[in-house]
Amino acid sequence: MRILLTNDDGYFAEGIVKLALALAEEHEVIVSAPAGERSGAGHALTFNRTLKWTEVSPDEMLLTDGKGRRIPFHAVHGSPADAVKFALEYIYRDEKFDLVVSGINSVLNIGSDIIYSGTFGAAEEGSVLGVPAVAVSTVASDGGYDLAARFVKENLPALYAATSPFVTVNVNIPSGRAEKIKGVAVVPLGLRRYNDWYEHDGKEGYELFGSPGDCSADAEDTDCKLSDLGYITVTPVRVLCTDDGSLEKIGGTEWKL
């Protein structure tokens, strides 16, 4: 496969480096990622300023694939979705990619996290542009990235098969320690509420802080619940997310002009 690899932590982040090395053993890998850390950027694109792009020097990223070829790295000075869009529609506009993979993120992106996640937003941009896409996240503080990179490499055919037009596959590995993983669950998104608060920074603004809450409000097995129990979760997510039930419910409404 020819794979475009991206993330929201920056082209230099350990997660993307580990994933690039793992996938490049058997596939052609090209990296296009933000020039800096852009967590929480969602699916934002740059419209209000000039977008800059840097081809990273081979002396900075001395990474090679299974055949000894250098893995190309590109740093896009914008959002994670910018990095994907710019690569597909400018840098490699006349070339074809089989898959976009975004990650490995250093924390999980489960349930409603995908609304805010730059990791997921970058992958979803691939889906929007017609390239199958997968987003990958783990808890890097609990065992690192090796398990997640190995999981993606070994299961790439299955993950690719799970994609379809305008669907992004969201993968979360709740630990980097194999002994903590109970299995793999293919489940819908859940809803994890956070305990958030703002604090004044002592200067002229406020900072958002928070900690994950539980997902007890979920009425069924979801990625949130199963991840808490130690399962790797795999969730196909539609880009075109119209709610059919509500659409039918309000379809006969007489609207006032």
Side-chain angles (χ1 to χ4, degrees):
M1 283 190 194
R2 192 161 193 255
I3 300 171
L4 180 66
L5 190 55
T6 190
N7 71 357
D8 71 356
D9 292 324
Y11 69 91
F12 46 80
E14 182 180 358
I16 200 170
V17 169
K18 288 285 181 73
L19 190 54
L21 289 171
L23 294 177
E25 292 178 8
E26 300 176 2
H27 305 276
E28 181 184 358
V29 172
I30 293 169
V31 176
S32 179
E37 200 271 341
R38 292 298 304 270
S39 296
H43 201 140
L45 289 175
T46 297
F47 295 109
N48 57 354
R49 64 177 177 83
T50 302
L51 189 66
K52 297 181 180 180
W53 157 56
T54 304
E55 185 168 7
V56 179
S57 167
D59 294 331
E60 181 179 348
M61 306 298 295
L62 297 176
L63 302 182
T64 58
D65 65 12
K67 297 182 179 179
R69 299 171 299 190
R70 183 177 69 87
I71 301 173
F73 272 71
H74 306 282
V76 176
H77 297 255
S79 70
D82 281 328
V84 173
K85 187 175 180 66
F86 194 74
L88 295 179
E89 296 196 327
Y90 182 77
I91 306 174
Y92 298 99
R93 59 188 176 275
D94 298 321
E95 303 179 35
K96 180 181 181 299
F97 284 87
D98 299 298
L99 186 67
V100 171
V101 180
S102 182
I104 304 166
N105 199 54
S106 61
V107 296
L108 298 185
N109 283 302
I110 55 177
S112 46
D113 293 345
I114 66 168
I115 298 170
Y116 313 103
S117 168
T119 302
F120 184 83
E124 190 176 50
E125 180 62 19
S127 299
V128 169
L129 297 178
V131 182
V134 177
V136 185
S137 305
T138 191
V139 181
S141 61
D142 186 27
Y145 297 95
D146 290 343
L147 176 62
R150 186 167 66 251
F151 179 84
V152 175
K153 175 188 172 184
E154 297 299 326
N155 294 281
L156 198 64
L159 292 173
Y160 181 78
T163 66
S164 59
F166 303 109
V167 169
T168 304
V169 177
N170 193 38
V171 179
N172 285 281
I173 297 100
S175 173
R177 304 181 190 280
E179 64 272 16
K180 288 189 173 183
I181 302 299
K182 294 183 179 179
V184 179
V186 179
V187 287
L189 295 175
L191 178 62
R192 185 189 298 281
R193 299 194 180 278
Y194 284 75
N195 304 308
D196 293 335
W197 67 92
Y198 288 92
E199 291 184 8
H200 196 271
D201 63 4
K203 299 176 183 178
E204 54 185 24
Y206 293 82
E207 293 184 57
L208 177 63
F209 295 89
S211 60
D214 62 28
C215 46
S216 57
D218 289 357
E220 57 184 324
D221 288 342
T222 62
D223 63 343
C224 180
K225 279 191 173 182
L226 271 294
S227 177
D228 283 353
L229 293 174
Y231 287 86
I232 294 172
T233 61
V234 178
T235 306
V237 181
R238 290 182 299 152
V239 173
L240 305 174
C241 48
T242 302
D243 184 76
D244 294 333
S246 297
L247 194 66
E248 182 178 353
K249 180 180 178 180
I250 65 174
T253 301
E254 293 185 10
W255 304 100
K256 299 177 180 179
L257 299 178

